[in-house]
Amino acid sequence: MGKQINFAHVNDNGDFAKVLTHHGLEFTQKGAQIRMCCPFHEDDTPSLSITLEPTDKAKVNTYHCFGCPAKGSIIDFQKELMGCDVRSAAQAVAEISGCTLAPPKSRAGVE
């Protein structure tokens, strides 16, 4: 069995722009939103939106395509793009983003 993965931690701390760049995908970023052509269907105009900061309508690091049913978290994006399992996708997101697989363990009684 491999290292323990805290999927919520990876999702919250993953860097969507780094993941997209890693895969050679073109995108535009305006503030806390990324727009791009959807890699999951033939797309000539940017129909995929990525939310980088939580809003009242979307969680952090989530994507939604307005041209196909594609939607989910940064881990889901990596999973669908690479055709791998969720564990491998989370490990790849963490590695590409430079984040840990889980938050550091706190040591009780240590100041």
Side-chain angles (χ1 to χ4, degrees):
M1 186 168 145
K3 293 182 179 182
Q4 184 176 5
I5 300 173
N6 180 313
F7 294 98
H9 174 79
V10 173
N11 186 69
D12 291 347
N13 293 283
D15 187 324
F16 230 126
K18 283 185 179 179
V19 170
L20 298 174
T21 300
H22 175 82
H23 291 294
L25 298 170
E26 294 182 19
F27 61 93
T28 57
Q29 183 172 346
K30 206 174 203 183
Q33 282 291 126
I34 289 178
R35 296 285 296 191
M36 61 184 283
C37 290
C38 182
F40 306 117
H41 70 93
E42 203 166 310
D43 197 4
D44 294 331
T45 33
S47 62
L48 189 124
S49 178
I50 298 169
T51 303
L52 301 176
E53 293 179 8
T55 68
D56 55 341
K57 295 182 181 182
K59 293 181 181 180
V60 65
N61 281 340
T62 56
Y63 69 99
H64 175 85
C65 180
F66 295 95
C68 77
K71 65 180 178 179
S73 70
I74 188 173
I75 297 170
D76 297 324
F77 186 90
Q78 177 73 16
K79 177 181 172 280
E80 292 303 315
L81 195 63
M82 299 310 302
C84 62
D85 62 85
V86 70
R87 184 175 181 79
S88 297
Q91 289 172 321
V93 167
E95 184 177 322
I96 294 165
S97 300
C99 72
T100 59
L101 291 173
K105 292 184 179 182
S106 62
R107 297 185 344 205
V110 176
E111 293 183 29

